[in-house]
């Protein structure tokens, strides 16, 4: 469906502005939808064709309610795809549509150029449709409930992926097996003429065979702990073919969405930076100024002390631009201790624009914050760390120190704020059990969820599964045999 | 147009329904649904049905925010660990509140407790609404546009202003031409019911006993409302004498003094005689007490009133005896003796909240 003429004209205008600023994007196709259809697409994670599952229905219900009660509305939705699809809400005012279009072009530029998106499938719309077809076929063949239950099980493990693995090409030399001496069969001491009698050759042969088999069994796999638990399960669990296929569908979709979670602050910051630039410098008519200001301030508002990724992102990009324009970086600037000199520091380098384009190409949220969050920025934006205070049962501000703010922020962004859980052993205790290891970084797992997740892992592995983690500061192994849970304390070697 | 998501939405609702049904017995004895009832819908808080993942414990993780405040400034209370609240830089996920219609809830109650459908008597008096098309107006939904009338209006207008051409008469319809059907709602008779709740509020009935009465009457309401469109409810409280009150007072009054049960029955009788003649109404009487009556003589009087006056005009008379530390519980024994084989009398002993469902079964299990 083509756009109404007014919107088509706007699109042309805004696209030209975006291009003039140096943004580089895929072709963007806008579609105008009413709120029900927009909510549907949003519930499907942006894709109009998705495999059937109840959780889309759950999200849809929430979106519908939010819209009906006037609590929330989705202005814009954009898909990382080539061509890039973006959706507009039918009932929005023209000025809103303009903002959204400008916003979308910047997102699209980010998708196309940010290195973390470079491995994503740019024909994902088609791919998702294929996934849906496959899942529907399995449902026809094996029953909708069976398939749905299996999908639930898989989704429980969906975050056990390694977003970096797409970039790692490992070429391991086959490890030489001869490094450790194989234990030899013990022979009893004997005189030469008694040898065959005391150490019968067939017994020796049998023993040798047994030792060889043991050594074979003891060989652990994976050879190194792997964070791509899903891949390991796909390759090594005793699944039926349709189950394996569904698991790999879930994994593929998880990998597709991962970079969006990894670059939330940057992506939204970038889009906000550009919509405000394009609107205020080029597109805005006098009559629209107030509505624009209202919309924009809503986008970057800070509610009850919560960090807003749009706000943090756009302010950081502006800060970077300003610093590199004025040369406020590097050894000389960092070591300057004269406050007056520092405040007035301006080398007139004009490198700002170039720098932010560089950041948008190479950073994800972690490196973005790590490289560009400065103490001054932190103070100017009144950032703080809060923690749960068990004495009062309340969340309270604990610190405003730059070091702690940055550390906490990075902690929440690293691995998308999720715990690191990896496959340590697929033949644990030499009984074909699965050992997952939680890399403990000071924050324990949520226990009830951990157990339920373990239950699901067992459904896939079909042998007992174990999770090495830390509970109440003590290293423990939680096991689920398929029937019951067991929790044992272990020595330090596991933690 | 039916959206693709409707299927997934439907499936989600099915799952929710399954969950509610699973926990229905728990809801019945806890009474947490009371006060969450709107006109036709009830909102039920559900524990998460989200998919579990390996995640950090939210409390231990803390977070980063921005804004005013000193170290020590309170940002907010922590949600309970098992609700999935999360303060901080991620949007919180709330406990799921789902709405289901009271009808559906009653359906579930019926299935869970295996209650038979009620066979109503009388079919005169009360009313239900039915819509019929009866006329034409200038505005309305497009779906009801009357094409022929609209076309005629167009012709009239174009002839009047001279733009009509015989060779090509139209249709050049403008808004002023459009005509729509309208409807009128007519009233049809339907079965209806009246419920009279009576409760002993003498000194021996404590808060806990009243809580039980409140929960039980909530479920009885839900069940009866499912069967009768216009359900009228009246409340009577009594100690040594009876009076009619509103719902609020019914549940919260605490009097002291003696107990003369016959006073309540007499008042109930008066109410039914004046407002709910037996031929047109399905009358239900519920009486809750701790089973202590003033005298044996009054009990005799109660039995007489029931047998001769109340029962002939009622579908069902239910007596629920709420256990209290003070009562002797004699009244239940007396009624049992008097009405051992009376179809229209249901007796039940409610020892605690867990016994509520049992008692609902005893009351409503007769399908009357």
């Amino acid at each position: 469906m083509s756009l109404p003429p007014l919107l088509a004209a706007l699109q042309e205008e805004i696209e030209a502005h975006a291009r003039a600023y140096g943004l580089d994007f895929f072709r963007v196709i806008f579609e105008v939808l009413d709120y029900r259809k927009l909510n549907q697409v949003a519930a499907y994670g942006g894709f109009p064709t998705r495999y059937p599952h109840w959780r889309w229905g759950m999200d849809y219900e929430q979106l519908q309610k939010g819209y009906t009660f006037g609590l929330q509305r989705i202005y814009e939705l954009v898909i990382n795809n080539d061509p890039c699809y973006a959706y507009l809400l039918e009932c929005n005012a023209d000025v809103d549509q303009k903002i959204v279009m400008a916003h979308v072009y910047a997102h699209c530029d980010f998708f196309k150029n940010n290195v973390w998106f470079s491995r994503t499938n740019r024909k994902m719309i088609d791919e998702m449709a294929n996934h849906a077809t496959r899942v529907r076929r399995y449902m026809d063949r094996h029953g909708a409930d069976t398939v749905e239950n299996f999908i639930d099980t898989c989704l429980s493990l969906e975050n056990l992926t390694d977003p970096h693995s797409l970039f790692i090409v490992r070429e391991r030399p086959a490890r030489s097996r001869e490094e450790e001496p194989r234990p030899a069969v013990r022979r009893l001491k004997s005189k030469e003429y008694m040898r065959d009698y005391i150490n019968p050759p067939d017994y020796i042969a049998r023993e040798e065979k047994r030792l060889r088999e043991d050594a074979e069994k003891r060989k652990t796999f994976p050879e190194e702990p792997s964070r791509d638990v899903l891949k390991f399960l796909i390759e090594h669990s005793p699944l039926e073919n349709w189950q394996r296929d569904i698991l790999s569908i879930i994994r593929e979709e998880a990998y597709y969405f991962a970079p969006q979670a990894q670059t939330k602050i940057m992506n939204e910051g970038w889009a906000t930076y550009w919509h405000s630039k394009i609107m205020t410098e080029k597109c805005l008519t006098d009559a629209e100024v107030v509505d624009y200001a209202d919309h924009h301030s809503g986008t970057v508002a800070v509610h009850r002390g919560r960090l807003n990724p749009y706000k943090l992102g756009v302010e950081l990009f502006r800060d970077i631009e300003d610093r590199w324009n004025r040369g406020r970086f590097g050894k000389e600037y960092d070591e300057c201790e004269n406050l007056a000199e520092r405040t007035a520091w301006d080398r007139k380098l004009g490198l700002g624009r170039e720098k932010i384009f560089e950041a948008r190409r190479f950073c994800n949220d972690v490196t973005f914050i790590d490289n560009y969050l400065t103490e001054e920025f932190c103070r100017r934006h009144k950032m703080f760390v809060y923690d749960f205070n068990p004495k009062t049962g309340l969340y309270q501000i604990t610190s405003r120190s730059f070091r702690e703010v940055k550390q906490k922020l990075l902690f929440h962004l690293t691995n998308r704020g999720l715990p690191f859980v990896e496959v340590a052993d697929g033949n644990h205790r030499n009984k074909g059990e699965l050992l997952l290891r939680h890399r403990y970084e000071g924050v324990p797992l949520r226990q009830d969820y951990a157990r339920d997740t373990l239950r699901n892992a067992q459904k896939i592995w079909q042998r007992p599964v174990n999770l090495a983690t830390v509970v109440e500061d003590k290293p423990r192994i939680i096991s689920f045999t398929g029937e019951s849970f067991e929790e044992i304390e272990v020595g330090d070697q596991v933690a | 147009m039916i959206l693709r998501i409707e299927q997934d939405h439907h499936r989600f609702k099915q799952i929710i329904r399954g969950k509610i049904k699973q926990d229905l017995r728990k809801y019945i004895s806890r009474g947490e649904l009371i006060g969450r009832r709107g006109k036709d819908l009830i909102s039920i808080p559900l524990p998460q049905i989200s998919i579990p993942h390996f995640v950090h414990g939210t409390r231990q993780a803390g977070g980063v925010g921005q804004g005013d405040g000193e170290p020590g400034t309170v940002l907010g209370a922590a949600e309970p660990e098992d609700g999935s609240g999360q303060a901080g830089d991620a949007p919180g996920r709330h406990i799921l509140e789902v709405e289901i219609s009271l009808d559906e809830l009653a359906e579930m109650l019926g299935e869970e407790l295996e209650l038979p459908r009620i066979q109503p008597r009388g079919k005169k008096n009360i009313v239900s609404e039915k819509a019929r098309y009866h006329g034409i107006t200038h505005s309305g939904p497009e779906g009801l546009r009357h094409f022929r009338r609209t076309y005629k209006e167009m012709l009239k207008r174009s002839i009047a202003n001279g733009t009509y051409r015989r060779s090509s008469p139209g249709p050049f319809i403008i808004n002023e031409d459009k005509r729509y059907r309208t409807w009128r709602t007519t009233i049809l008779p339907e079965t209806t019911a009246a419920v009279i709740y009576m409760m002993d509020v003498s000194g021996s009935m404590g808060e806990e006993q009243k809580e039980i009465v409140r929960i039980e009457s909530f479920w009885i309401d839900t069940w009866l409302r499912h069967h009768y469109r216009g359900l009228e409810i009246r409340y009577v409280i009594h100690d040594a004498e009876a009076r009619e009150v509103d719902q609020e007072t019914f549940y919260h009054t605490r009097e002291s003094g003696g107990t003369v049960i016959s006073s309540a029955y007499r008042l109930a009788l008066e109410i039914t005689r004046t407002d709910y003649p037996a031929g047109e109404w399905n009358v239900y009487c519920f009486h809750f007490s701790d089973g202590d009556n003033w005298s044996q003589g009054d009990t005799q009087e109660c039995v007489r009133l029931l047998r001769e006056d109340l029962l002939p005009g009622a579908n069902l008379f239910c007596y629920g005896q709420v256990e209290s530390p003070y009562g002797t519980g004699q009244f239940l024994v007396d009624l049992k003796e008097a009405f051992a084989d009376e179809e229209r009398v249901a007796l039940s002993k409610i020892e605690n909240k867990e016994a509520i469902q049992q008692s609902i079964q005893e009351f409503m299990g007769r399908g009357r």
Side-chain angles (χ1 to χ4, degrees):
Chain A
M1 198 178 68
S2 63
L3 284 181
L6 175 69
L7 290 178
L10 282 179
Q11 180 183 1
E12 207 169 305
E13 183 193 347
I14 288 168
E15 184 176 331
H17 290 314
R19 223 179 272 288
Y21 276 117
L23 296 182
D24 164 33
F25 35 79
F26 300 122
R27 191 161 66 91
V28 181
I29 298 172
F30 284 99
E31 294 211 33
V32 182
L33 301 181
D34 66 32
Y35 75 94
R36 278 176 54 214
K37 288 192 195 142
L38 188 67
N39 284 347
Q40 160 173 286
V41 175
Y44 281 136
F47 291 86
T49 50
R50 216 59 202 276
Y51 58 84
H53 193 263
W54 56 265
R55 77 181 191 285
W56 320 128
M58 177 165 76
D59 293 346
Y60 179 71
E61 167 142 332
Q62 267 176 359
L63 291 168
Q64 279 298 84
K65 265 190 200 159
Y67 184 86
T68 321
F69 297 147
L71 300 173
Q72 62 176 30
R73 71 151 77 154
I74 298 169
Y75 279 99
E76 138 265 0
L77 199 66
V78 49
I79 301 180
N80 167 26
N81 194 72
D82 179 15
C84 191
Y85 281 87
Y87 302 95
L88 301 170
L89 182 59
E90 193 178 29
C91 62
N92 277 347
D94 291 338
V95 59
D96 289 340
Q97 308 290 35
K98 275 189 188 175
I99 302 174
V100 169
M101 283 181 175
H103 198 85
V104 162
Y105 275 108
H107 271 312
C108 191
D109 166 81
F110 197 90
F111 291 148
K112 188 174 173 189
N113 293 291
N114 183 273
V115 70
W116 297 93
F117 283 90
S118 61
R119 300 293 168 96
T120 51
N121 183 351
R122 308 293 191 178
K123 296 287 173 204
M124 202 57 188
I125 291 210
D126 306 340
E127 188 65 42
M128 290 280 190
N130 287 342
H131 289 175
T133 314
R134 266 143 75 194
V135 171
R136 275 175 222 279
R137 195 189 306 142
Y138 297 136
M139 284 184 160
D140 288 345
R141 205 171 292 162
H142 305 283
D145 286 353
T146 320
V147 174
E148 188 186 65
N149 285 339
F150 189 73
I151 292 176
D152 287 357
T153 308
C154 296
L155 285 174
S156 180
L157 307 170
E158 110 191 284
N159 59 358
L160 300 181
T161 55
D162 182 0
H164 296 167
S165 70
L166 298 177
F167 299 96
I168 303 170
V169 185
R170 286 199 185 88
E171 281 185 51
R172 286 198 209 90
R175 195 196 276 177
S176 63
R177 301 268 166 236
E178 307 310 322
E179 277 166 19
E180 17 181 336
R182 209 185 286 154
V185 179
R186 258 184 74 226
R187 282 160 216 259
L188 297 172
K189 231 193 214 165
S190 64
K191 298 249 167 59
E192 178 68 15
Y193 66 93
M194 288 286 280
R195 197 184 58 200
D196 285 359
Y197 185 71
I198 291 180
N199 297 305
D202 57 329
Y203 166 78
I204 299 287
R206 236 177 334 165
E207 277 298 283
E208 231 152 1
K209 188 163 167 252
R210 192 176 62 82
L211 284 175
R212 211 169 36 239
E213 276 171 5
D214 270 7
E216 205 65 29
K217 262 193 222 154
R218 222 174 288 123
K219 202 170 70 187
T220 63
F221 77 106
E223 292 180 1
E224 284 165 33
S226 161
R227 282 185 50 208
D228 198 339
V229 180
L230 284 186
K231 182 164 180 233
F232 183 82
L233 290 175
I234 290 169
E235 286 170 359
H236 300 291
S237 313
L239 295 173
E240 288 179 41
N241 282 338
W242 67 268
Q243 293 176 317
R244 206 178 302 283
D245 191 34
I246 281 181
L247 192 52
S248 62
I249 285 173
I250 303 280
R251 174 168 176 267
E252 204 172 312
E253 296 191 359
Y255 272 111
Y256 170 79
F257 285 114
Q260 295 180 26
Q262 281 177 298
T263 58
K264 176 88 180 156
I265 294 174
M266 286 191 77
N267 211 336
E268 295 302 354
W270 185 250
T272 308
Y273 176 91
W274 284 109
H275 85 226
S276 88
K277 200 114 220 135
I278 290 173
M279 290 301 284
T280 52
E281 289 184 2
K282 305 284 182 191
C283 278
L284 214 51
T285 65
D286 296 349
E288 291 169 343
V289 170
V290 172
D291 287 332
Y292 166 76
D294 183 44
H295 183 132
H296 181 77
S297 61
T299 311
V300 296
V302 174
H303 291 290
R304 295 196 295 145
R306 288 187 181 180
L307 274 194
N308 174 346
Y310 292 76
K311 164 97 175 157
L312 182 61
V314 70
E315 294 293 353
L316 263 174
F317 272 119
R318 284 182 184 150
D319 187 54
I320 295 168
E321 188 178 23
D322 178 61
R323 280 167 61 207
W324 262 261
N325 272 341
R326 300 206 273 157
R328 293 154 71 94
F329 61 90
K331 187 170 181 331
E332 218 180 323
Y333 176 73
D334 287 341
E335 286 175 357
C336 170
E337 294 195 345
N338 181 337
L339 186 62
E341 200 181 320
R342 253 178 105 93
T343 346
W345 192 285
D346 191 354
R347 293 282 147 93
K348 302 212 179 347
L349 295 180
L351 294 173
R353 188 58 62 77
E354 198 181 316
K355 189 67 189 173
I356 58 173
F357 271 93
E358 180 192 310
R360 84 90 160 79
R361 179 176 285 280
F362 293 112
C363 289
N364 61 20
D365 281 349
V366 175
T367 54
F368 190 54
I369 297 292
D370 197 24
N371 285 331
Y372 301 115
L373 186 75
T374 63
E375 189 161 3
E376 278 144 8
F377 182 90
C378 186
R379 205 175 311 131
R380 196 163 63 236
H381 289 277
K382 299 182 176 172
M383 295 171 75
F384 58 75
V385 175
Y386 65 83
D387 278 298
F388 177 71
N389 183 344
K391 278 185 204 139
T392 55
L394 299 167
Y395 284 102
Q396 292 177 325
I397 296 178
T398 36
S399 167
R400 284 188 179 276
S401 117
F402 168 61
R403 211 176 51 81
E404 282 177 56
V405 166
K406 187 163 169 179
Q407 200 176 14
K408 188 69 109 184
L409 199 51
L410 287 176
F411 172 79
H412 277 281
L413 293 172
T414 305
N415 197 29
R416 296 163 283 158
L418 296 166
F420 287 98
V421 176
E422 56 197 15
V423 182
D425 193 352
N427 187 22
H428 183 53
R429 297 200 277 198
N430 201 10
K431 282 178 175 173
E433 295 184 6
L434 182 68
L435 176 66
L436 300 175
R437 177 171 300 147
H438 167 215
R439 258 198 257 154
Y440 185 70
E441 323 227 321
V443 181
L445 295 179
R446 201 178 135 174
Q447 288 299 308
D448 52 341
Y449 267 35
R451 288 188 170 219
D452 286 345
T453 312
L454 216 50
R455 202 185 277 275
N456 286 328
Q458 195 274 337
K459 273 190 212 152
I460 291 178
W461 188 247
Q462 297 173 25
R463 290 276 308 145
V465 289
N466 306 275
L467 173 69
T469 179
V470 174
V471 184
E472 287 159 1
D473 294 329
K474 290 190 193 97
R476 303 221 175 166
I477 291 190
I478 305 172
S479 313
F480 182 66
T481 58
E483 279 153 12
S484 59
F485 281 99
E486 235 173 74
E487 198 171 319
I488 50 166
E489 250 176 68
V490 288
D492 292 319
Q493 75 276 7
V494 179
Chain B
M1 195 191 82
I2 292 182
L3 298 178
R4 183 193 287 265
I5 194 88
E6 300 289 340
Q7 274 181 27
D8 296 314
H9 194 209
H10 181 74
R11 180 74 193 119
F12 166 66
K13 286 193 156 167
Q14 254 182 340
I15 291 175
I16 296 279
R17 241 149 256 167
K19 286 264 173 213
I20 295 173
K21 225 168 137 183
Q22 229 174 32
D23 292 345
L24 192 68
R25 282 175 187 267
K26 193 184 76 196
Y27 288 126
I28 291 176
S29 50
R30 287 223 223 119
E32 56 197 334
L33 298 188
I34 298 171
R36 310 185 135 268
R37 183 162 80 175
K39 193 161 160 285
D40 306 306
L41 294 175
I42 185 156
S43 121
I44 298 180
L46 263 195
Q48 272 289 314
I49 66 158
S50 68
I51 293 162
H53 293 115
F54 287 128
V55 290
H56 288 127
T58 44
R59 289 192 176 176
Q60 292 88 344
V64 177
Q66 87 182 102
D68 295 319
E70 293 306 308
T73 303
V74 172
L75 296 172
E79 291 90 347
E81 191 88 300
D82 52 355
S84 52
Q86 190 178 0
D89 47 358
R93 283 193 73 105
H94 304 284
I95 276 198
L96 209 52
E97 293 252 349
V98 291
E99 279 115 42
I100 63 167
S101 69
L102 284 170
D103 259 354
E104 253 175 295
L105 188 65
E107 252 347 303
M108 287 180 198
L109 180 75
E111 277 171 40
E112 187 66 28
L113 300 185
E114 298 177 342
L115 302 177
R117 306 208 145 266
I118 293 174
Q119 301 290 330
R121 339 174 290 176
K123 209 173 185 320
K124 269 208 312 225
N125 187 329
I126 310 309
V127 289
S128 69
E129 289 176 344
K130 193 168 162 66
R132 278 192 97 112
Y133 294 126
H134 82 117
I136 296 292
T137 62
H138 288 260
S139 61
E142 286 304 308
L144 292 183
R145 197 166 81 211
H146 195 303
F147 178 75
R148 201 148 40 93
R149 299 272 189 129
T150 306
Y151 193 72
K152 261 190 189 166
E153 287 302 319
M154 186 276 291
L155 287 177
K156 273 196 230 164
R157 178 180 48 82
S158 53
I159 289 169
N161 66 16
T163 54
Y164 176 75
R165 243 175 280 120
R166 205 171 202 184
S167 51
S168 59
F172 308 106
I173 291 165
I174 62 171
N175 275 341
E176 278 78 1
D177 299 334
K178 293 180 180 170
R179 293 294 179 273
Y180 302 85
R181 291 178 178 84
T182 61
W183 66 92
R184 183 161 54 193
T185 50
T186 48
I187 286 167
L188 295 175
E190 208 188 66
T191 56
T192 186
V195 180
I196 299 171
Y197 285 113
M198 293 169 271
M199 180 163 60
D200 178 0
V201 288
S202 63
S204 50
M205 289 283 283
E207 266 319 303
E208 208 189 317
Q209 281 77 23
K210 276 190 204 138
E211 176 74 10
I212 290 176
V213 174
R214 188 158 50 189
I215 295 171
E216 174 137 2
S217 59
F218 169 83
W219 290 102
I220 290 171
D221 274 5
T222 308
W223 180 243
L224 290 177
R225 226 177 263 280
H226 180 53
H227 291 86
Y228 299 102
R229 183 73 72 83
L231 189 70
E232 289 203 14
I233 305 175
R234 306 284 281 264
Y235 297 95
V236 169
I237 55 175
H238 72 90
D239 45 16
E241 50 188 86
R243 60 201 167 95
E244 192 180 347
V245 294
D246 59 17
Q247 188 183 18
E248 183 66 22
T249 328
F250 181 75
Y251 289 123
H252 295 106
T253 311
R254 188 184 170 126
E255 316 265 311
S256 54
T259 316
V260 179
I261 295 178
S262 64
S263 66
Y265 291 1
R266 227 170 259 125
L267 183 57
L269 184 62
E270 206 174 293
I271 293 172
T272 51
R273 281 218 173 124
T274 46
D275 295 346
Y276 310 115
E280 291 158 19
W281 290 81
N282 293 279
V283 177
Y284 291 84
C285 300
F286 294 89
H287 179 218
F288 298 95
S289 145
D290 58 1
D292 252 349
N293 203 1
W294 178 251
S295 67
Q296 208 55 30
D298 189 62
T299 304
Q300 291 310 319
E301 173 67 7
C302 289
V303 171
R304 191 192 62 75
L305 271 171
L306 278 176
R307 182 164 288 141
E308 290 172 15
D309 298 318
L310 260 178
L311 283 181
N315 281 36
L316 193 63
F317 173 86
C318 299
Y319 172 69
Q321 187 155 294
V322 192
E323 203 76 350
S324 98
Y326 311 106
T328 58
Q330 185 55 37
F331 195 64
L332 182 74
V333 180
D334 294 338
L335 284 185
K336 224 177 229 165
E337 231 164 69
F339 298 105
D341 44 1
E342 172 56 72
E343 259 280 281
R344 281 171 295 184
V345 175
L347 305 170
S348 168
K349 196 165 163 187
I350 315 163
E351 280 159 358
N352 49 34
K353 287 186 183 172
E354 271 65 52
I356 290 175
Q357 28 173 305
Q358 172 69 26
S359 149
I360 294 174
Q361 275 169 324
E362 280 164 358
F363 284 167
M364 307 274 79
R366 311 187 171 210
R368 297 189 66 95

